Amino acid sequence: MATFFERQETARRNTRLLVLLYAAAVIGVVIAVDLVVATAYLWAVGDRLRADARPPEFGGLYRLVPAAVYVWGAVATAATILAVSVWNVAKLAQGGRKVAELVGARRVRPDTADPLERRYLNVVEEMAIAAGMRVPAAYVMDGEPGINAFAAGYTVSDAVVAVTRGALEHLDRDELQGVIGHEFSHILNGDMRLDIRMLGVLAGIVFVGSVGEFLLRAQRGDGRSRSGPLLVVGLALLVVGYVGLFFARLIKAAVARQREFLADAASVQFTRNPEAVAGALDRLRSEPVGTLIRDRHAEELSHMFFAEAVALWFERLFATHPPIEERIRRVYPHFEPRLYREKRARRAQAFAQAQALAGERREAAAALLAEATLSGVGRRAGDAASAWGRSAGAAAALVGTTDGATLDYARRLLAALPQELKARMRTPHGARAALVALALALREDARRGQLAALRAAGLEAIAEEAEAIAPLAARIGPPSRLPAIDLALAALKGAPEDLRRDAVRALEAVVHADQRVSVHEFVVLTLVRAQLFPPPKPVAGDQRLADLAPQAALLVSLVAHAGTRQDAIGARAEAVAAAISAGAAEMGIEAKTAGALTPEGAAAALEALRELAPLQKAILVRGLFATATYDGRIRLAEAELLRLVGAVLDCPLPPLLETLDPATLAP
């Protein structure tokens, strides 16, 4: 199976294919419009032309039209199509949020009390933690009774997931997770950027038909306002619009159909539940509500949905999705619809009983984690390590993947978080306080200094809120802190700018209170800054690692120093040198120790490395894994740095240390 980086590179190649298909479609529309323009010209002056010439043969009249008419018609049409496409691509530059708003979707509040929406958010959170990515914003299309969903965004970090109200009402939890797993595959495979670009450029192709439709509507007034020529031109342009629509549907079908099989297979891998994925597909054909989308933008977004969103003629030619029967056969060849539906009914009856017990289980898990964490032996949490048996290449292949084991880990982690803390994380103000509380030291004297730094910075209210929930945050073991921070970021990313800026200021005050920055603090601060204030536009992603060797060497050196035990004083220099050599050799760059490792320098290096092409990022990640695991082990500090690199470079890593015993990780 292709790796994350290979799939990203394939998506880039498909973008180039889209450009070629787009050019062919523009040529087709231009020819059709030129015929309309030439016909209009002949309508206006045809009698005089025929009087001055012999009776023309079939089609000969069009040879009487001056070449300038064809040239200017072609130039004007091509320029209009290009301008509309460019404008739409620019309009969608805000990424997934803009696409969701285009179809009238509503963002689900993290603190929603709707049980269906709460279940939906829980599934999204589980999948995000299991994949090691930021929690996407979750949207609902309230006015859509059909069963459907889509994912949208330019990058992994700005992705959103949207489902119809029908999906929430007609799918059970396992089926919903199968659908969300399918959409997460599109996020991780790099399909979303191509989808948004396709959405933008195809708008130009169908624009001519929209003009014709406008002209026809304009002629529906009283008889005095009607114009015969305009009516004919409007009708002709509407017909031309169907030429554009033909090409648009053909392009979408050519690009989108095969990806659906891959996304279904990935969903099975994510959930370890092929029956649920097949069951979700079975619901599409068994529920009367169907899958069609009512919104007027359904045609434009049809290639992005989980299932067919519009009714089609010549479905085999224009369908953006394979037949449901074929999709079911591929994910679960032995699926029996009747038996599955009976089992599903029994599962629904058991669901209420499971819900009653869920609260008790969560509280018990949280208490167990607290007891284990607070009874630790007290060595530095960042030195905690786990054996690592993968090669650098096999480790890098983990990027963009998840499986049943990491999904189980995500469920356990979410169940173990204190309920009161999770409730606070679901509001912007509570999430801000939780971020700060998670950064506070456990030692009372150090914590007092951090709270004093907050008050000195004029952030008294945040200091009070963070101090109040600090005991809850202290119950979260170090391996669970970054996932907990991701949950808080999900509520903060949509908050007003001043609230987000205060969150960053508060973290900076806490981190710098003792005049030093640990690896964990650097990771948290850099991650929060990158998520709350992302770059204004996506990067080109076309640089080679050789051109950014100094920045790559700095990261290698940072990982090498972070992964060396502080108590290994005698052999520390040799261990650092060995780790750096392993990483540099894997990357094919010069092995050297960075002079001064500063947070600012490391952050600048990360920002520069965002420009790497997908396959070059793969080389970087392999090198960093070679550095971190040169001794056959991976430490918490190294795992956190690797996760940060993945977050900033949009290369999500699943949890690497889910097997560590929390009892050995007291901060």
Side-chain angles (χ1 to χ4, degrees):
M1 181 178 286
T3 67
F4 170 85
F5 302 103
E6 291 167 341
R7 295 192 298 267
Q8 294 279 318
E9 186 62 30
T10 299
R12 288 164 63 88
R13 286 199 301 271
N14 284 341
T15 300
R16 293 190 283 271
L17 172 63
L18 174 62
V19 171
L20 294 176
L21 294 173
Y22 174 71
V26 169
I27 291 171
V29 174
V30 164
I31 291 172
V33 171
D34 259 0
L35 288 174
V36 172
V37 171
T39 302
Y41 179 86
L42 290 172
W43 186 320
V45 299
D47 291 339
R48 182 170 57 81
L49 288 174
R50 282 191 293 271
D52 296 339
R54 289 180 300 172
E57 301 172 357
F58 179 76
L61 278 176
Y62 288 96
R63 288 198 294 271
L64 300 177
V65 177
V69 172
Y70 290 112
V71 171
W72 284 109
V75 169
T77 303
T80 300
I81 292 173
L82 182 61
V84 172
S85 293
V86 170
W87 185 81
N88 275 277
V89 170
K91 183 177 70 172
L92 295 169
Q94 298 176 49
R97 178 178 65 85
K98 197 67 178 179
V99 178
E101 292 172 353
L102 190 67
V103 292
R106 166 184 60 84
R107 183 170 183 179
V108 179
R109 291 172 54 91
D111 59 344
T112 180
D114 183 321
L116 293 178
E117 293 178 0
R118 182 73 261 151
R119 182 186 67 176
Y120 170 37
L121 287 183
N122 289 343
V123 169
V124 171
E125 289 170 355
E126 285 176 9
M127 295 297 297
I129 291 172
M133 59 178 278
R134 316 293 70 73
V135 180
Y139 284 78
V140 172
M141 293 171 273
D142 289 309
E144 300 292 349
I147 302 172
N148 228 319
F150 69 85
Y154 266 108
T155 66
V156 174
S157 294
D158 81 342
V160 307
V161 177
V163 300
T164 59
R165 174 56 61 174
L168 294 184
E169 293 175 349
H170 294 284
L171 299 179
D172 67 17
R173 194 186 197 281
D174 287 348
E175 293 164 348
L176 181 64
Q177 189 159 60
V179 172
I180 299 301
H182 176 105
E183 299 308 325
F184 265 69
S185 171
H186 286 310
I187 294 173
L188 296 171
N189 288 344
D191 296 337
M192 299 183 307
R193 179 178 291 196
L194 176 62
D195 285 340
I196 290 185
R197 285 176 173 166
M198 199 185 307
L199 178 61
V201 301
L202 296 185
I205 297 174
V206 300
F207 177 72
V208 174
S210 301
V211 172
E213 187 177 356
F214 171 77
L215 290 176
L216 287 178
R217 284 201 307 268
Q219 301 307 304
R220 292 177 183 171
D222 57 28
R224 289 171 299 177
S225 66
R226 289 177 184 163
S227 168
L230 276 181
L231 191 66
V232 173
V233 170
L235 182 60
L237 290 179
L238 185 62
V239 172
V240 170
Y242 278 98
V243 174
L245 183 61
F246 170 86
F247 278 108
R249 285 181 169 175
L250 208 58
I251 291 171
K252 288 191 288 187
V255 173
R257 200 177 303 179
Q258 192 61 30
R259 299 181 315 173
E260 298 305 312
F261 285 133
L262 297 176
D264 287 341
S267 182
V268 171
Q269 178 189 350
F270 293 168
T271 62
R272 281 193 311 188
N273 195 346
E275 187 179 55
V277 178
L281 291 166
D282 179 59
R283 303 295 285 177
L284 303 182
R285 63 184 180 183
S286 64
E287 287 293 336
V289 293
T291 65
L292 301 186
I293 300 298
R294 297 175 175 179
D295 188 89
R296 66 187 183 90
H297 295 288
E299 173 65 51
E300 300 168 53
L301 273 67
S302 60
H303 59 291
M304 302 176 69
F305 280 95
F306 176 70
E308 291 290 357
V310 294
L312 296 169
W313 292 350
F314 304 108
E315 186 171 344
R316 287 188 177 274
L317 180 64
F318 295 124
T320 53
H321 296 69
I324 290 176
E325 291 74 13
E326 177 66 10
R327 293 174 69 180
I328 291 175
R329 187 187 66 79
R330 291 204 183 194
V331 299
Y332 195 37
H334 306 297
F335 183 74
E336 292 288 344
R338 183 183 59 81
L339 295 177
Y340 173 79
R341 293 168 193 174
E342 292 174 356
K343 185 188 299 184
R344 185 185 190 277
R346 293 193 297 270
R347 193 165 66 227
Q349 293 175 355
F351 178 72
Q353 299 175 353
Q355 284 291 96
L357 296 173
E360 297 175 14
R361 286 200 211 98
R362 283 194 295 267
E363 291 301 325
L368 182 62
L369 179 62
E371 179 182 352
T373 300
L374 295 178
S375 64
V377 299
R379 68 179 168 83
R380 192 181 70 141
D383 285 335
S386 177
W388 190 261
R390 293 183 175 92
S391 67
L398 293 173
V399 173
T401 67
T402 188
D403 55 27
T406 54
L407 192 57
D408 289 344
Y409 166 74
R411 288 171 179 155
R412 294 196 308 272
L413 186 148
L414 286 170
L417 291 177
Q419 290 300 302
E420 184 182 345
L421 185 62
K422 277 203 295 188
R424 286 178 179 267
M425 287 179 177
R426 289 169 182 158
T427 66
H429 284 85
R432 182 180 63 181
L435 277 181
V436 176
L438 286 165
L440 292 176
L442 288 185
R443 286 193 357 257
E444 187 176 351
D445 57 337
R447 186 168 66 252
R448 280 200 304 267
Q450 291 170 324
L451 293 170
L454 277 174
R455 295 184 175 98
L459 302 169
E460 178 74 30
I462 298 178
E464 297 298 327
E465 294 171 8
E467 187 174 19
I469 61 175
L472 295 173
R475 291 163 57 180
I476 299 176
S480 306
R481 293 201 163 215
L482 279 185
I485 287 168
D486 277 333
L487 294 179
L489 286 172
L492 267 176
K493 286 171 74 171
E497 183 178 341
D498 59 340
L499 195 148
R500 287 182 282 127
R501 289 200 180 281
D502 281 349
V504 173
R505 285 180 55 218
L507 270 180
E508 289 172 342
V510 167
V511 166
H512 296 297
D514 59 356
Q515 305 300 313
R516 59 180 293 276
V517 179
S518 69
V519 171
H520 174 74
E521 289 171 334
F522 166 72
V523 168
V524 170
L525 191 52
T526 306
L527 178 64
V528 170
R529 284 172 175 161
Q531 292 300 303
L532 296 187
F533 295 97
K537 62 179 181 179
V539 297
D542 54 5
Q543 293 292 305
R544 296 184 58 78
L545 187 62
D547 299 326
L548 296 171
Q551 290 86 350
L554 190 150
L555 276 193
V556 166
S557 185
L558 179 63
V559 172
H561 282 85
T564 306
R565 287 280 300 271
Q566 297 294 318
D567 54 2
I569 298 174
R572 189 161 195 265
E574 291 80 0
V576 168
I580 290 174
S581 295
E586 187 70 36
M587 292 187 197
I589 62 175
E590 182 182 353
K592 58 181 180 180
T593 303
L597 290 174
T598 65
E600 294 76 17
L606 272 173
E607 183 62 27
L609 290 165
R610 291 180 67 241
E611 294 283 355
L612 289 174
L615 295 180
Q616 297 297 301
K617 288 181 182 178
I619 298 173
L620 174 71
V621 174
R622 287 204 308 269
L624 294 179
F625 265 109
T627 299
T629 63
Y630 84 99
D631 58 353
R633 300 175 69 77
I634 188 167
R635 293 178 174 78
L636 178 58
E638 295 167 321
E640 290 192 334
L641 276 173
L642 289 167
R643 177 165 179 161
L644 173 64
V645 171
V648 175
L649 271 59
D650 275 318
C651 306
L653 267 170
L656 302 175
L657 294 174
E658 69 271 20
T659 59
L660 280 181
D661 181 2
T664 66
L665 298 176

